Amino acid sequence: MERQALKDYLLNKYGLTFQKSAADPLNLQIVEVTAHNPFIVLSVSTPQLDVKCPNFAATIQNLQGFTEPQLMNYPEWVGIQLNQIKAQDLFNVLDYAFKSATNGNQNFIAQQLVYLPSDDTDSKYQSQLIPQRQQLAQKHRLPEQLEKMMASYDYTILPMNEQGENFYRQGQMVANYEDDYDQIYELRRYYPDYHAMNGHQLRTYFTWRTQLRKGNFTVSSTSYAYVYIYELLNNIGVKDPNDGFQKLLEFDQKYAASYGQRMKDYLHQWMQDYVLYYGLERTKANQVFADQLKVDHEYHILRHPEDYSVTKVMDIFLEHSPYLKKCRLYKTSPAKWTEVVVMVWQFALQKNPQIFTNLIANQTLSAKYFFAGAVFAFHRQPRLTEYPIDSERTYQFKDRKYYCNAWYPLKDQQKRLNTFFHELDRLARQQFHLGHPLKPRQLDSQILQLVSSGLEEYQKQEVLARQPKIELNLSSLDQIRSDASATRDSLLTDEEKQADDELIPDPSSVNQVEDSSAVSDDAVNDILNINERYLVHALLDQKPYQDYLKKHHLMVSILVDSINEKLFDEIGDSVIEFNDQDEPEVIDDYKDDLRELLKEDDA
């Protein structure tokens, strides 16, 4: 059917025309009987048409040429492809939709909607009137309270608010309702609510909810569980927001896991939104924002290292950088290397605060909707306009949105920190004359210069720390002079002469993190055992090694792991990796280093 034929039909029969949608003026056109109550929606760019058929949508969707709605996400709508539908079938559905809209979506005696084709009058297939909802209801009458609740659905509410507002109003009507139904019917719907349930499903849900409130939990359809959560988010059936929070927390801790991780994730986000929207006290925020608070605290420490112990700063770095844990200098002298790392970081941060954003995290302002993905009625504005969770994270509210200003980790944070600490390790070995030299990695030249300057600053501080500190009491200057005069002659004794001949510690010794951390030739010679040296030689010289390993009952994978682990302190990286044929190979960049080490070892 052509678009123009559809428009002519609506204009000639009902005097109605398509108008641009205020909600989506570029892509949708709508037809309304009353303001803000469209019953036909047409796509401008596609032949898609959705028609509102409140009482028979599910039945019509199953007929040929009709589908579920594509433009409107509501169960009362029917989807139609204009280029695939018969004109008479479409006109019948439009007539029904128009009468439903003009009657306030109330039940009425409808004409026959869709005709079954027949080639002769003797066919057993005859046109039949679709049974009305009242006739079906006779078979199963709902309790009066549920009947009133279902009849209260207001179709005149704007589509964007229709589901949430109706759910909130209907929920308040049955907030304390209890049921004891002896049958169980499943419900499978996205964004489920009362309006999406038939009589059996309503009674099943309220019976399940009654038992849940009494502490008798049974696993039900996931959709029922979401309806219960939606009730709590809307404060349906709770005394106040504090009571609602406790019930959400109880469901999260006791029951949500029975429905899978996806529900847990949604519920966790909604509980955060709940605290913000209702402005609950800080203790509840600490519960639901625990993960964010932990990360924020770590970032605060790294941004203000001078306010915390070097151990606390180092613990955070160790958690985020696998390289730092394996660093030879840290293994050899953890206390001294911790001082070096933290001092260099603090020095670099003071000189260029942007180093934090270059290596760890960015501060970003993000916008989100309250209770996204839930059925929720915004019947009140958030109680607060701003909620500072901590010094690093603040939430600001505007209408249905909130804006979060916080630190978000860089996607390659671990890689950047590993590179930073590798270069710190490399420059420290170079400046302190420690261990085997490492190959440089790609790091921003400005950051590299800050690391080098930080190591120099550390050396200066070490020199100052080793100098003797003399404290003078100015009130006792006379006594000091007397003591100095009395001890002057004692400097000429044999003992003092012998002490005067003793060597004074060489200031250059500050170029070492600890004396014991220097690597001697004997230590290098003991890095690899005979089997490990054999494999490395064989790989470097491209000679077979399989018979040797088989004879000595060795596994190549275990041997390679051991070699990489032992040489990590010397090389700063894995030196052997497996190729596509699952055979070990020495990485090209480290072949010369290995030959040099083996040369020392064999000597």
Side-chain angles (χ1 to χ4, degrees):
M1 185 175 183
E2 299 294 332
R3 290 171 178 269
Q4 191 58 47
L6 171 64
K7 294 180 179 180
D8 291 342
Y9 178 82
L10 291 173
L11 179 62
N12 295 331
K13 185 163 185 177
Y14 307 118
L16 299 175
T17 58
F18 281 96
Q19 303 173 359
K20 291 183 178 180
S21 170
D24 191 4
L26 297 180
N27 295 320
L28 297 180
Q29 292 182 341
I30 62 175
V31 178
E32 297 176 320
V33 175
T34 58
H36 309 301
N37 185 26
F39 72 99
I40 301 175
V41 176
L42 175 67
S43 172
V44 175
S45 56
T46 67
Q48 180 63 41
L49 179 75
D50 281 7
V51 180
K52 190 174 184 179
C53 304
N55 297 318
F56 296 101
T59 303
I60 298 173
Q61 288 172 13
N62 292 325
L63 298 176
Q64 184 176 0
F66 299 93
T67 66
E68 293 183 353
Q70 304 298 312
L71 306 177
M72 302 295 289
N73 188 22
Y74 296 99
E76 297 82 11
W77 289 73
V78 174
I80 302 167
Q81 287 286 328
L82 282 177
N83 55 3
Q84 298 177 11
I85 192 70
K86 293 180 180 180
Q88 187 58 51
D89 292 346
L90 175 59
F91 293 158
N92 288 335
V93 170
L94 292 176
D95 288 344
Y96 167 73
F98 173 77
K99 292 178 182 179
S100 177
T102 54
N103 282 272
N105 296 306
Q106 300 298 318
N107 292 328
F108 59 91
I109 303 300
Q111 71 180 75
Q112 181 174 321
L113 296 180
V114 179
Y115 294 89
L116 295 172
S118 175
D119 295 331
D120 57 81
T121 57
D122 295 330
S123 172
K124 64 180 180 180
Y125 297 105
Q126 299 295 328
S127 301
Q128 303 225 352
L129 185 67
I130 296 176
Q132 295 300 299
R133 191 169 182 172
Q134 294 95 326
Q135 300 171 3
L136 298 175
Q138 296 298 328
K139 299 179 181 180
H140 177 72
R141 296 290 299 180
L142 286 173
E144 183 179 359
Q145 195 169 351
L146 293 185
E147 286 278 10
K148 290 182 179 179
M149 182 268 288
M150 293 299 289
S152 70
Y153 195 91
D154 186 356
Y155 291 91
T156 65
I157 301 174
L158 288 174
M160 66 177 296
N161 300 326
E162 181 179 347
Q163 186 181 28
E165 287 292 336
N166 277 297
F167 180 77
Y168 178 74
R169 294 177 181 178
Q170 290 181 310
Q172 296 296 348
M173 295 177 65
V174 291
N176 299 317
Y177 175 76
E178 294 185 352
D179 208 332
D180 187 16
Y181 197 47
D182 59 358
Q183 300 182 56
I184 297 177
Y185 285 78
E186 291 187 352
L187 176 66
R188 295 181 181 179
R189 294 294 292 263
Y190 287 105
Y191 309 105
D193 59 6
Y194 311 121
H195 194 63
M197 302 182 202
N198 61 33
H200 295 291
Q201 292 167 334
L202 280 169
R203 300 204 62 186
T204 299
Y205 169 70
F206 284 109
T207 298
W208 175 80
R209 190 186 74 173
T210 300
Q211 293 302 312
L212 178 63
R213 288 180 173 180
K214 295 178 179 180
N216 303 321
F217 171 77
T218 56
V219 178
S220 63
S221 296
T222 303
S223 296
Y224 291 139
Y226 275 114
V227 172
Y228 177 73
I229 294 173
Y230 297 161
E231 288 181 345
L232 297 181
L233 297 180
N234 286 274
N235 283 344
I236 295 172
V238 302
K239 299 176 183 177
D240 51 43
N242 287 317
D243 182 39
F245 177 83
Q246 293 302 323
K247 285 182 168 59
L248 285 167
L249 188 63
E250 179 183 23
F251 192 88
D252 178 48
Q253 294 175 345
K254 294 183 179 180
Y255 314 126
S258 300
Y259 298 98
Q261 186 59 42
R262 186 177 184 182
M263 177 177 285
K264 291 278 292 182
D265 294 339
Y266 272 125
L267 186 54
H268 186 71
Q269 180 61 57
W270 291 335
M271 290 176 68
Q272 292 181 353
D273 292 358
Y274 192 92
V275 169
L276 298 176
Y277 185 80
Y278 293 105
L280 302 186
E281 62 268 19
R282 179 75 57 180
T283 55
K284 293 180 173 58
N286 292 342
Q287 287 180 272
V288 296
F289 286 94
D291 293 340
Q292 288 86 346
L293 289 172
K294 178 180 181 297
V295 175
D296 290 348
H297 185 57
E298 290 179 350
Y299 289 166
H300 181 81
I301 292 174
L302 295 183
R303 292 179 61 235
H304 305 279
E306 67 280 1
D307 297 336
Y308 299 89
S309 67
V310 294
T311 303
K312 184 163 288 189
V313 177
M314 188 65 165
D315 286 344
I316 298 173
F317 280 138
L318 289 171
E319 184 178 347
H320 293 277
S321 173
Y323 179 89
L324 198 55
K325 295 178 181 179
K326 298 180 180 180
C327 177
R328 177 184 178 85
L329 299 183
Y330 177 70
K331 288 182 177 180
T332 305
S333 182
K336 186 62 69 174
W337 184 239
T338 295
E339 292 180 5
V340 174
V341 168
V342 176
M343 179 173 287
V344 170
W345 173 256
Q346 185 172 336
F347 175 86
L349 196 62
Q350 289 174 347
K351 296 298 182 181
N352 182 13
Q354 293 300 316
I355 191 174
F356 183 85
T357 59
N358 289 334
L359 299 178
I360 298 176
N362 280 323
Q363 194 170 37
T364 305
L365 182 66
S366 61
K368 294 183 179 179
Y369 282 94
F370 279 110
F371 307 108
V375 177
F376 186 80
F378 291 89
H379 51 278
R380 52 172 286 179
Q381 293 296 321
R383 191 174 69 85
L384 304 175
T385 57
E386 183 174 292
Y387 199 126
I389 297 296
D390 54 33
S391 62
E392 309 298 326
R393 180 181 299 268
T394 301
Y395 290 89
Q396 295 177 327
F397 314 135
K398 185 177 180 180
D399 299 328
R400 302 185 180 190
K401 283 185 178 181
Y402 61 86
Y403 300 85
C404 175
N405 190 26
W407 292 98
Y408 293 90
L410 301 176
K411 292 183 178 179
D412 55 348
Q413 180 194 94
Q414 186 179 101
K415 179 181 178 181
R416 291 178 183 236
L417 284 175
N418 283 343
T419 300
F420 175 79
F421 289 122
H422 177 276
E423 289 302 280
L424 174 56
D425 186 8
R426 181 179 67 83
L427 293 179
R429 294 186 184 208
Q430 178 181 313
Q431 294 189 28
F432 298 162
H433 308 291
L434 301 173
H436 189 80
L438 303 177
K439 288 186 176 294
R441 292 184 182 178
Q442 188 65 34
L443 184 65
D444 183 90
S445 58
Q446 294 184 353
I447 297 179
L448 198 62
Q449 182 57 48
L450 288 174
V451 172
S452 180
S453 300
L455 289 171
E456 292 175 1
E457 180 65 23
Y458 171 79
Q459 290 177 288
K460 294 178 183 178
Q461 295 297 327
E462 281 288 279
V463 171
L464 293 176
R466 296 191 182 194
Q467 290 179 351
K469 295 180 175 60
I470 301 175
E471 296 182 2
L472 297 179
N473 187 345
L474 298 180
S475 63
S476 304
L477 287 178
D478 291 340
Q479 184 63 40
I480 293 173
R481 295 190 184 97
S482 176
D483 292 341
S485 177
T487 58
R488 181 174 48 193
D489 294 339
S490 66
L491 297 174
L492 301 177
T493 64
D494 293 340
E495 292 80 359
E496 292 299 320
K497 290 179 180 180
Q498 181 178 357
D500 191 47
D501 291 337
E502 290 181 354
L503 291 176
I504 299 174
D506 186 357
S508 65
S509 62
V510 299
N511 288 338
Q512 299 182 6
V513 178
E514 280 192 1
D515 295 341
S516 60
S517 64
V519 181
S520 66
D521 290 340
D522 291 337
V524 173
N525 291 338
D526 293 334
I527 292 177
L528 303 179
N529 61 36
I530 186 171
N531 295 324
E532 295 163 346
R533 290 198 300 273
Y534 181 90
L535 179 59
V536 175
H537 273 301
L539 295 178
L540 287 173
D541 299 336
Q542 297 185 348
K543 293 182 179 180
Y545 57 85
Q546 291 82 356
D547 291 342
Y548 178 89
L549 298 186
K550 185 176 181 181
K551 179 180 178 181
H552 291 81
H553 308 289
L554 299 172
M555 293 183 63
V556 65
S557 59
I558 296 177
L559 210 56
V560 167
D561 288 342
S562 178
I563 293 170
N564 284 334
E565 179 69 24
K566 291 182 178 180
L567 292 181
F568 187 90
D569 294 335
E570 294 298 320
I571 306 300
D573 202 352
S574 297
V575 296
I576 301 176
E577 61 183 11
F578 287 87
N579 59 22
D580 294 338
Q581 289 74 41
D582 202 28
E583 296 176 350
E585 290 181 347
V586 176
I587 299 175
D588 291 339
D589 291 344
Y590 304 127
K591 286 183 178 180
D592 293 339
D593 295 328
L594 282 179
R595 287 192 177 97
E596 183 179 347
L597 283 174
L598 291 173
K599 182 178 179 181
E600 295 176 2
D601 194 18
D602 295 339

